Structure formats: structure tokens, C-alpha cells
Amino acid sequence: MSTTKLLVALTATLLATTANVGAAEYFNRIASFAVAQNVPEAKATSSEIIAATEDGMTLIYSDSPNGGIGFVDITDAKAPKPAGYLSMDGEPTSVTIIGAKAYVGVNTSESYADPSGKLVVVDIAGQSVDAEYALGGQPDSVAHNDAGTLVAIAIENERDEGLGDGGLPQMPAGFVVIFDVAAKTLKTVDVTGLAAVGGEDPEPEFVDFNANDEIALTMQENNHLVIIDAKSGSVVANFSAGSVSLDHIDAHKDGAYRFTDSQADVAREPDAVQWLDADRFVIANEGDWKGGSRGFSIMSRDGAVLFDSGTQLEYSAARIGHYPDKRAGKKGVEPEGLEVATFGDTRYIFVTEERSSLIAVYKDTGADPEFVQLLPSGMSPEGLIAIPARNLLATANETDLREDGGVGSHVMLYELAEGEAAYPQLISDLDADGLPIGWSAISGAVADAEKPGMLYAVSDSFVSAAPAIYAIDATVTPARITGKTIVTRGGEAAQKLDLEGITLDGEGGFWLASEGNTAKLVPHALYHVDSDGEIIAEVPFPDALLANEIRFGSEGITSTGTGNDMTLWIAIQREWKDDPKGEVKLLSYKPTFGDWGAVRYPLEAAPKGTWNGLSEIVAHGAYFYVVERDNQIGDKAALKALYRIPMAEMVAAPLGGDLPVVSKELVRDLVPDLKASNGYVLDKVESFAIDAAGNGFVITDNDGVDDSSGETMFWSIGAL
């Protein structure tokens, strides 16, 4: 299928996921569980590989940073509860469950050159260790067969990436261990001499059983696959994972979304593997030291490539704002984990995208898989487990940013049911070349003066090399980015901008507010652009303001009046050096006369160690509306709200003197809206606009998927 035809097909599917399509079934997130609830005292804790008990009521996840396994009670899947924690005296790498026991691979290596590990058998009910078995090397993946009689362990003996060029070989070699559950014996399978890449130093990565007790093994760094007869321990097939050539991708970390690059003969270097049936399996081509083809493939047990997703994952992520530009020069979205499960009569393939923080869902058709939907996950999803008997899917999302004030690792739960898909809430169309309109980090918005549901938005400095104005059609669900205009200076993409606000100029163009940072030579300024995005006027902040500047500047712009009577109003996010604590400036600027003034806005009091500030301003009717929020995320988030100020009080005084303080009235607490997604509360409510019909729209900023889950929420709060 051609790239254009493929994208058209994906477009139709993405739109259908949230359209009224009768009895269609989709997965939707129903709950999130912060794994720190299990070990609140842990400096770092994570969920990586995850398994479910046979009754589907308890989840067990491996926690490498804190050295244990965590238990989650999902008896009520919409209200998961902490259910215990067991330290492992080592670094757990994987977990699988047979009956009443969990089998945990634990790394106990002293060094890369002297790897060691153990298989720990855990009594689930007692949350205690039953037995330990030395493995003779460092384990990675653990899996069991359908009958629950055999456990396979991939002994990676991973290389030291900091040694030399980080490549192969680095001894000792890896291997596979097969554990007989009844006999409690270990069998070692030698996989040296098979791969063309570093054959003397295999690095087994992931294992999975089919119904015939054959093990599919990925050797990621070796770009190789091995089929093992688990009963005899013999290698019955092995072959290269091969390579993929990619066209029209974004392969540069440059602050822009340009799908103009190509990569030839990229080694797949698969991470996870899952059998689809006795003859076919799927691999996630994450890549490691040389490769990473940015997609997933279906192969037969004799090594034939039956399907490769090519650029599908990259493009679908880009269209919903999840493309990780900072990883563009490496391996893009990085497909890592897999799950295959049958719900009813449908076999699904689930692919975790580590860097875009998405789960791609496909139906296995026996031929080319059919794209179903994208699920928002926490940061860096790695493992996942399906529970078809309960119509559930659980994901383990490994990143823990609590030490830096961010959100911690989460387990997220999804349910398959009839209805509409809740995500995405904002997608982009294709451009004139049939490629995705890339976007992220929406930071400000304004509504068209005449067309209800038509909005314009800007992106912030994350998209530094191609600052843009996006046209958004909010009359459809999900809302659609229908066009993108690059902001230019002298015909070239403008540099040194951090756009945080946009308003109409009444003449077909816009005024833009840029948050400055003098240390980075980014000026605090306003920019007047025409309908083509070309800058026609630049207005720096006056010296009287800049004498007291801090980094947190413009966070929204709006206007009142027209022509010579136009006044621009700019919301400053936080107190500058000349502001009383708890008060921020709302600046006024008259373009015709060049006059500056201000009033002060009273912020809500912030708890110690946090701050509150403004992130948007909109003039409408007899009021100015502002978004006030704290800088907190997840369960620490307390203030995300819409307030209004009587327009009659917005009488600016000259800068440098006493400034009047306006009053405010709460219009809407936005925290319940943010909780409605059943994820954690996002921190950056950045955009608000009121359309020509008087309806308000709210958009969050996803920070370009940089230390962020990438989720963008877009919703209407109705008429004001």
C-alpha cells in the first residue's frame, strides 16, 4: 500500500474511533494507579513488566529501581488499590504467573563482566519467597508455557554500553534457561554461533511460548531470532530479523516536524516477541546499538516477513501530537513491548511505544493487521497484560520523575466496551504532500470572530525551529488540525520565539505573545503577523518592565476594541521582581500609540514549595477570563481553574507607579475535567478560547512528549 493510501486509511480509522459508529468496541482507560502507593518511602520506584493472576483480580509488576515486586488489587478495576510489596534482594527484570506462584527473574550481577541472577518463586497469597534458583547469568525476560509446566528465561548478560564503542562482542555470552516447574530442574540452551552479528556473544532479550511449546527468542543486539523446542532444549530454527528502509520520516532532533528524511537498511533489532499462533509471531522493533526500524513486524516461524508496519506508528503518533522530536534522530517512537490476546472472536495486537507513550492497538486478520486505535499511557510504557475474561488491559509505565517534581510511575487500566474511543481529542489532517501535519505543545488559542467552532492555536518553544499557527476545527470529534502556518521572518522560519499567546488583529492576521528568556537571548516581545504568518511588526517589552524581568513572562494575549482603538492585554505568568507576592501583572499595549500600562491580578495562595500563575487570558462580553493554575501534576495538582474579571475594572495605570488590583470570580474548577480522562491530572492547562457562539474550549500543553506522557486534552466547557 502506498504511503498516501495508508495514511488515508489511518485517517479514516482515527476519525472513526470517536465517531458514532453503532456497536463498535474500543478500549478506554478506566483507572490509573500510582505505584508509589505501594512503597511511599522509596526514592525511586517503577512498574516495568506486569502480569495478572489467573483470576484476573491482582496485578504483579517488576520494580527494578527499588528492587522488588509490587501487587495491585484490581477486584474493582475502576478503583485499583495497593496490595503489597516484596523486596527481591536484587533487581527484578521480569515476572510471569502460574497458578498461585509468581516466577521472577532477578539480576544480582556484580558487574557486566561477572553477571549473575536468579529465578525467584513467590507465593502470591503469602507474598513470600518459596524458592530461589541460580541462573548462571543476568536474566531479562521470563515467560511460561500454556500448560504451566515450563518457564523460559532469557539470560542476556548485557553489554556495557560505555565500554569502547559499546558494541559486540562483550563476554560472557548470553543463553536461555528452561525451568521444569514440576521437577524443579534447569536446562541451559546454547545460542552462540547463530547470528551473523556478534554470533559469539548472543544477548537474549525476550521469550514467548506458542501452543506447541516452542520458544520464540529475540536477540536484540544481534538482530536475530531463534526458535527453540522447549521440551528438548534444541534450536529448531534461527534467522536474521532483517532490515527496513524508511522514507518520509523525521530523523532529526531539531525542534520541527519535517517528514522528509530517509533511512536505508535499518536493522530491526527487536525487543519483545509474541506468538500470534503456532506459525506466526509479532516483534517490536525498538532497536539498540545500531538499529531500530520504528515499527513492528509479523514473521513466520521460518523467518519470512509477512508484514511490516513501516512508518505507521510514527505517523499516527505525529497526528495526535505524540511524536517525540527529541528522539527523532535515534529510534523515533521506539516500539518496545507487546501483548497478543483474544477478546471474544477478535485477536488483538498491542504495541507499547516507549518514547511516544502510546499503546497502538491492531486486530490480527491473518494477513495485514487492521489498525484500531491509540491509547494514552503513562510515561514510557514497557510491559502490558491483557485479561480477556474481564475485558481488561493493564499497562506498566516505567518513568519516575517524582524526585524532579514530576509524576511517578503508573499502572493504567483499560476496558473494552461498546461505544466511542475517548482518545485522541485532537488530531491533525494530512498536508498537501499526504504526510502528517506534525504538532505538539499547544500553548495558546483564540477563536475565529465569525465561525463557531473555529480556533487558532500556537505551539511553544519546544517547536523552536518551526513556530506555527494551527487552524483547528472544533465542530467535529475529535477536533481536527486542518492547517498549519509557519511563523516567518523574512520568509524563513522565525527563530528565538517562545509563543504562548495568540489573538486576532481584526485584519486577517494575528498578534502573538512570546515568553522571553534573556539568558537564552529570547526577547520578551509581541509579534504582529499577517495571514501567511510573516512577522510585520515586533514590539519588545519596554525597559521599565525588563528591569524587573524573570523567566516566567507572557502566557496569553487578547484584545479589545478595533482599529486605532485596539488594546492588547497580556497575562504575565508569575510575579516579577517589582510585584507584591501573590500579584501578577496584566499588561496593556495600544499598538496605534505605543502606550503600555498594567493592572495587577491577585493569585490564589500557593502551598510551600509550589507556585500559582496565569496561563491564558480572553476578553469576552463584559469580562476578561483567565486560566490560573499551579505547577503541580498528578495527585499534587490542586489548582487548575477559570476565573473572570469585570471588564470595567481593567483600567490600566502607567508602568512604574501604583497599579490597581482587579477582583476575580471563579467560573469553573478544571480539575474534575482533567480527572475525567482516568489518568493522572495533567499540569499544564495552557489554552482557552471562546468561539463565535460563546462556547469555551480548553487545551492542555503536552510539552512535546519531553518528560511528559504526551497527552493533549481538548474539551469544551459549553456556553459562557
Side-chain angles (χ1 to χ4, degrees), residues 128-153:
S128 58
V129 173
D130 272 4
E132 296 185 357
Y133 301 89
L135 295 171
Q138 171 252 315
D140 196 331
S141 168
V142 177
H144 69 81
N145 66 348
D146 289 348
T149 58
L150 299 171
V151 175
I153 307 101

Side-chain angles (χ1 to χ4, degrees), residues 347-421:
R347 182 186 290 113
Y348 289 94
I349 301 169
F350 304 92
V351 187
T352 70
E353 301 176 20
E354 181 181 9
R355 301 298 179 172
S356 63
S357 293
L358 289 169
I359 310 299
V361 184
Y362 284 76
K363 290 180 181 179
D364 176 30
T365 66
D368 287 0
E370 175 188 332
F371 175 79
V372 177
Q373 66 183 120
L374 295 170
L375 298 174
S377 201
M379 280 184 288
S380 302
E382 181 169 352
L384 67 173
I385 186 71
I387 310 174
R390 300 187 64 194
N391 281 337
L392 296 177
L393 173 75
T395 67
N397 305 277
E398 63 180 329
T399 299
D400 183 359
L401 297 177
R402 291 174 303 137
E403 189 174 9
D404 299 322
V407 73
S409 169
H410 279 70
V411 168
M412 296 196 170
L413 287 150
Y414 308 81
E415 183 178 47
L416 178 66
E418 291 185 1
E420 301 175 356

Side-chain angles (χ1 to χ4, degrees), residues 31-38 61 71-72 80-83 409-412:
S32 297
F33 174 80
V35 301
Q37 293 181 67
N38 268 330
Y61 60 86
F71 299 75
V72 185
K81 300 175 182 178
S409 169
H410 279 70
V411 168
M412 296 196 170

Side-chain angles (χ1 to χ4, degrees), residues 523-587:
H524 294 274
L526 308 179
Y527 296 89
H528 190 192
V529 301
D530 62 20
S531 59
D532 295 323
E534 176 69 15
I535 295 174
I536 54 180
E538 303 186 25
V539 182
F541 277 16
D543 292 342
L545 274 174
L546 296 178
N548 295 288
E549 72 167 299
I550 63 170
R551 181 172 65 85
F552 300 90
S554 302
E555 282 285 330
I557 186 172
T558 190
S559 64
T560 59
T562 60
N564 291 340
D565 294 326
M566 174 178 281
T567 299
L568 302 175
W569 287 91
I570 305 98
I572 302 299
Q573 185 171 53
R574 294 181 62 188
E575 304 98 325
W576 281 22
K577 296 175 184 177
D578 59 338
D579 291 319
K581 183 175 177 57
E583 295 180 4
V584 294
K585 294 186 187 73
L586 301 176
L587 298 175

